[in-house]
Amino acid sequence: MKNNREKLIRDFFSSYRYSIKRRIRATYSFVYILICVMVLVLFAAAFGYSGCRQLSESTPAYSDSIFQQAKKTSIFSSSFSVYLNTLVGLDNIAEIYITDSTGRIIAGSTGAGNNKNIAPVRGENTNIFTDIFPKYARVGDGLYLDITPFGYTEGDQTLYLVIAYSLESVFENLLFIGKILGATMAAGFLLFNIAGITRTDRMLRPIKDISEAAKKISAENMDVHIDEKAAKYELGELASTINDMVDRIRIAYDKQKRFVSDVSHELRTPIAVISGYAGMLKRWGKDDPKILDESIDAVIAESENMKELVERLLFLTRNDNDKIVYEMMPADIGELVVTTVKEENMVYTDFDFTCDIDEGIICSVDSARIKQTLRILLDNAVKYSGDSRTIQVYLRKNSDSFTITVADHGVGISETDLPYIFERFYRADTSRTKETGGYGLGLAIAKAIVTGHGGTLKVKSKLGEGSEFSFTIPITLGNN
């Protein structure tokens, strides 16, 4: 039984600790109670102060009356004491007495000297009300002492008139009003909690919706979106951020699926070729030298193709993981461009390559990677030149960078394909067909290399008129 009770207590505090809704409600309740307590304390102080002030308003009249009676009779006479007794009970007066400067009671109403509640006034009253009320209030004794100098003198001593007012009526009124306020605040507390619960549920409903939407997100369901209009303030920003995140995840996942599909497609052909020729070797290759040579050549060629594909994929993967190390050394960019174009011209002898170069550009680059980028652009220009056989190469020096441009007058690229040509395995339907060869990885590699040098790769193209690829790299010196 004890263990169950302890478990319930632990579960309660655990649910409070990890529940935003309960914490908000508890905070609302605590703030409300704190405000109510402050209001009650301030009300009690203000009501007490007002009550004491009202009691003391009659003190001047009684003081004059007592002074006139003292002049008629001695303050030590029995008639003076009887007169003071007649005043007791009027306007909540409890006792009246006269003291000297030492606090000794000289005269007073019956029982004033023996009444423990009517203590002599000596020095400064240390009650907390001293700093609030202009007179003395002894709340613990239920009295308010109004002390005024008494014009009647005894020898050389100054006498004081002390009128002790009973605070019973003040307390009764304060208690009555306090009960009304307490009941009102209790009812307000209930209404406040009901309204707070409703408001809290309404405020936190978007969080629940966000949680439910997040649970629905999976690899097969990436189209889930949170209603941003239903979430307000910071929750609206959170909903928008999560929607953007889901969109980015969906795009990345789609790219990954397309990437895996494209790799599988590209590997299917060489694997099928190797498998086919392996079957031929098994059936007839041992006895037919011609089939043997043909099969071996085909297997070697397809193996080289697979090796090239894997190497390009590994390069892009290392680039994604920032594992590519560029050997940055000062190089003459003009000489690098001329050399690369000459090598391409030796391969494609039926093409006319022209160079327009700004001389004297020295920059720290990875020469092998820059040549690889330029070859990719030149190979693309050759593949998609169509009937044209002219390719222009430009090298321009800018204020703090250089730009290499490769232009052809071939088939061009449509506007719908331009945004995607730097994606891996992407092939435009009209201009990048399987007939041209390759895997659709060249431009992705070129962009990765240029980006690794802190540069940018851009393209301008018009369908049927040709394409112009340009990459710009900042000019830096020194090894890096």
Side-chain angles (χ1 to χ4, degrees), residues 95-116:
E95 295 289 351
I96 304 174
Y97 55 97
I98 299 172
T99 68
D100 58 15
S101 58
T102 63
R104 182 173 60 89
I105 297 178
I106 296 175
S109 57
T110 303
N114 298 323
N115 193 337
K116 295 180 180 180

mmCIF file of all heavy atoms in Angstrom, residues 95-116:
data_model
loop_
_atom_site.group_PDB
_atom_site.id
_atom_site.type_symbol
_atom_site.label_atom_id
_atom_site.label_comp_id
_atom_site.label_asym_id
_atom_site.label_seq_id
_atom_site.Cartn_x
_atom_site.Cartn_y
_atom_site.Cartn_z
ATOM 1 N N GLU A 95 -10.430 52.871 27.305
ATOM 2 C CA GLU A 95 -9.913 53.455 28.553
ATOM 3 C C GLU A 95 -9.363 54.843 28.255
ATOM 4 O O GLU A 95 -8.980 55.143 27.115
ATOM 5 C CB GLU A 95 -8.794 52.590 29.157
ATOM 6 C CG GLU A 95 -9.220 51.200 29.638
ATOM 7 C CD GLU A 95 -10.066 51.252 30.889
ATOM 8 O OE1 GLU A 95 -10.188 52.344 31.482
ATOM 9 O OE2 GLU A 95 -10.629 50.196 31.277
ATOM 10 N N ILE A 96 -9.337 55.662 29.305
ATOM 11 C CA ILE A 96 -8.733 57.001 29.214
ATOM 12 C C ILE A 96 -7.848 57.179 30.425
ATOM 13 O O ILE A 96 -8.272 56.903 31.562
ATOM 14 C CB ILE A 96 -9.806 58.108 29.168
ATOM 15 C CG1 ILE A 96 -10.784 57.886 28.004
ATOM 16 C CG2 ILE A 96 -9.145 59.488 29.057
ATOM 17 C CD1 ILE A 96 -11.939 58.855 28.009
ATOM 18 N N TYR A 97 -6.645 57.647 30.219
ATOM 19 C CA TYR A 97 -5.786 57.931 31.357
ATOM 20 C C TYR A 97 -4.808 59.037 30.988
ATOM 21 O O TYR A 97 -4.586 59.335 29.809
ATOM 22 C CB TYR A 97 -5.077 56.685 31.865
ATOM 23 C CG TYR A 97 -4.269 55.945 30.832
ATOM 24 C CD1 TYR A 97 -2.907 56.147 30.713
ATOM 25 C CD2 TYR A 97 -4.876 54.987 30.014
ATOM 26 C CE1 TYR A 97 -2.173 55.444 29.776
ATOM 27 C CE2 TYR A 97 -4.153 54.286 29.087
ATOM 28 C CZ TYR A 97 -2.788 54.519 28.970
ATOM 29 O OH TYR A 97 -2.053 53.827 28.050
ATOM 30 N N ILE A 98 -4.234 59.625 32.044
ATOM 31 C CA ILE A 98 -3.286 60.729 31.907
ATOM 32 C C ILE A 98 -1.972 60.279 32.510
ATOM 33 O O ILE A 98 -1.947 59.732 33.617
ATOM 34 C CB ILE A 98 -3.806 62.011 32.603
ATOM 35 C CG1 ILE A 98 -5.123 62.448 31.951
ATOM 36 C CG2 ILE A 98 -2.779 63.129 32.519
ATOM 37 C CD1 ILE A 98 -5.815 63.582 32.695
ATOM 38 N N THR A 99 -0.877 60.500 31.745
ATOM 39 C CA THR A 99 0.445 60.106 32.223
ATOM 40 C C THR A 99 1.359 61.313 32.249
ATOM 41 O O THR A 99 1.109 62.330 31.578
ATOM 42 C CB THR A 99 1.061 59.030 31.314
ATOM 43 O OG1 THR A 99 1.353 59.619 30.058
ATOM 44 C CG2 THR A 99 0.102 57.864 31.118
ATOM 45 N N ASP A 100 2.418 61.157 33.033
ATOM 46 C CA ASP A 100 3.445 62.205 33.000
ATOM 47 C C ASP A 100 4.486 61.810 31.958
ATOM 48 O O ASP A 100 4.347 60.821 31.247
ATOM 49 C CB ASP A 100 4.050 62.405 34.390
ATOM 50 C CG ASP A 100 4.673 61.128 34.945
ATOM 51 O OD1 ASP A 100 4.884 60.180 34.145
ATOM 52 O OD2 ASP A 100 4.934 61.046 36.157
ATOM 53 N N SER A 101 5.558 62.603 31.905
ATOM 54 C CA SER A 101 6.580 62.358 30.875
ATOM 55 C C SER A 101 7.334 61.067 31.083
ATOM 56 O O SER A 101 7.957 60.547 30.159
ATOM 57 C CB SER A 101 7.558 63.539 30.834
ATOM 58 O OG SER A 101 8.167 63.709 32.110
ATOM 59 N N THR A 102 7.264 60.520 32.306
ATOM 60 C CA THR A 102 7.954 59.250 32.571
ATOM 61 C C THR A 102 7.081 58.053 32.254
ATOM 62 O O THR A 102 7.529 56.922 32.336
ATOM 63 C CB THR A 102 8.399 59.183 34.038
ATOM 64 O OG1 THR A 102 7.227 59.203 34.875
ATOM 65 C CG2 THR A 102 9.309 60.353 34.393
ATOM 66 N N GLY A 103 5.838 58.290 31.914
ATOM 67 C CA GLY A 103 4.924 57.207 31.600
ATOM 68 C C GLY A 103 4.116 56.747 32.796
ATOM 69 O O GLY A 103 3.328 55.810 32.673
ATOM 70 N N ARG A 104 4.242 57.388 33.929
ATOM 71 C CA ARG A 104 3.479 57.008 35.118
ATOM 72 C C ARG A 104 2.049 57.501 34.985
ATOM 73 O O ARG A 104 1.804 58.638 34.618
ATOM 74 C CB ARG A 104 4.138 57.605 36.362
ATOM 75 C CG ARG A 104 3.452 57.239 37.684
ATOM 76 C CD ARG A 104 4.292 57.755 38.843
ATOM 77 N NE ARG A 104 4.440 59.198 38.777
ATOM 78 C CZ ARG A 104 3.587 60.088 39.340
ATOM 79 N NH1 ARG A 104 2.510 59.633 39.958
ATOM 80 N NH2 ARG A 104 3.804 61.377 39.242
ATOM 81 N N ILE A 105 1.093 56.611 35.256
ATOM 82 C CA ILE A 105 -0.316 56.972 35.171
ATOM 83 C C ILE A 105 -0.684 57.802 36.392
ATOM 84 O O ILE A 105 -0.545 57.359 37.536
ATOM 85 C CB ILE A 105 -1.202 55.725 35.091
ATOM 86 C CG1 ILE A 105 -0.891 54.924 33.809
ATOM 87 C CG2 ILE A 105 -2.685 56.102 35.136
ATOM 88 C CD1 ILE A 105 -1.679 53.657 33.675
ATOM 89 N N ILE A 106 -1.167 59.010 36.122
ATOM 90 C CA ILE A 106 -1.542 59.928 37.189
ATOM 91 C C ILE A 106 -3.028 59.817 37.489
ATOM 92 O O ILE A 106 -3.456 59.796 38.649
ATOM 93 C CB ILE A 106 -1.171 61.371 36.804
ATOM 94 C CG1 ILE A 106 0.359 61.469 36.662
ATOM 95 C CG2 ILE A 106 -1.682 62.370 37.840
ATOM 96 C CD1 ILE A 106 0.827 62.818 36.171
ATOM 97 N N ALA A 107 -3.823 59.763 36.437
ATOM 98 C CA ALA A 107 -5.269 59.661 36.609
ATOM 99 C C ALA A 107 -5.835 58.887 35.429
ATOM 100 O O ALA A 107 -5.192 58.763 34.377
ATOM 101 C CB ALA A 107 -5.891 61.040 36.699
ATOM 102 N N GLY A 108 -7.023 58.351 35.631
ATOM 103 C CA GLY A 108 -7.633 57.619 34.536
ATOM 104 C C GLY A 108 -8.965 57.046 34.892
ATOM 105 O O GLY A 108 -9.446 57.202 36.022
ATOM 106 N N SER A 109 -9.570 56.391 33.928
ATOM 107 C CA SER A 109 -10.842 55.744 34.180
ATOM 108 C C SER A 109 -10.621 54.545 35.076
ATOM 109 O O SER A 109 -9.475 54.128 35.317
ATOM 110 C CB SER A 109 -11.480 55.315 32.858
ATOM 111 O OG SER A 109 -10.594 54.458 32.156
ATOM 112 N N THR A 110 -11.717 53.992 35.557
ATOM 113 C CA THR A 110 -11.623 52.900 36.527
ATOM 114 C C THR A 110 -10.860 51.715 35.928
ATOM 115 O O THR A 110 -11.138 51.257 34.818
ATOM 116 C CB THR A 110 -13.030 52.430 36.927
ATOM 117 O OG1 THR A 110 -13.745 53.551 37.452
ATOM 118 C CG2 THR A 110 -12.957 51.330 37.980
ATOM 119 N N GLY A 111 -9.888 51.228 36.657
ATOM 120 C CA GLY A 111 -9.134 50.055 36.234
ATOM 121 C C GLY A 111 -8.052 50.348 35.229
ATOM 122 O O GLY A 111 -7.402 49.420 34.760
ATOM 123 N N ALA A 112 -7.823 51.630 34.884
ATOM 124 C CA ALA A 112 -6.795 51.927 33.877
ATOM 125 C C ALA A 112 -5.415 51.524 34.342
ATOM 126 O O ALA A 112 -4.617 50.969 33.599
ATOM 127 C CB ALA A 112 -6.828 53.411 33.526
ATOM 128 N N GLY A 113 -5.142 51.759 35.617
ATOM 129 C CA GLY A 113 -3.808 51.432 36.127
ATOM 130 C C GLY A 113 -3.571 49.962 36.272
ATOM 131 O O GLY A 113 -2.436 49.507 36.248
ATOM 132 N N ASN A 114 -4.664 49.204 36.462
ATOM 133 C CA ASN A 114 -4.522 47.761 36.640
ATOM 134 C C ASN A 114 -4.746 46.962 35.347
ATOM 135 O O ASN A 114 -4.572 45.753 35.332
ATOM 136 C CB ASN A 114 -5.523 47.278 37.701
ATOM 137 C CG ASN A 114 -5.262 47.924 39.051
ATOM 138 O OD1 ASN A 114 -4.106 48.141 39.422
ATOM 139 N ND2 ASN A 114 -6.334 48.223 39.785
ATOM 140 N N ASN A 115 -5.236 47.631 34.314
ATOM 141 C CA ASN A 115 -5.508 46.954 33.050
ATOM 142 C C ASN A 115 -4.196 46.674 32.325
ATOM 143 O O ASN A 115 -3.469 47.591 31.957
ATOM 144 C CB ASN A 115 -6.427 47.815 32.190
ATOM 145 C CG ASN A 115 -6.986 47.030 31.017
ATOM 146 O OD1 ASN A 115 -6.405 46.038 30.596
ATOM 147 N ND2 ASN A 115 -8.122 47.496 30.504
ATOM 148 N N LYS A 116 -3.917 45.398 32.153
ATOM 149 C CA LYS A 116 -2.652 45.045 31.508
ATOM 150 C C LYS A 116 -2.602 45.515 30.054
ATOM 151 O O LYS A 116 -1.529 45.692 29.483
ATOM 152 C CB LYS A 116 -2.444 43.540 31.569
ATOM 153 C CG LYS A 116 -2.265 43.016 32.991
ATOM 154 C CD LYS A 116 -2.057 41.512 32.982
ATOM 155 C CE LYS A 116 -1.873 40.992 34.402
ATOM 156 N NZ LYS A 116 -1.668 39.531 34.438
#
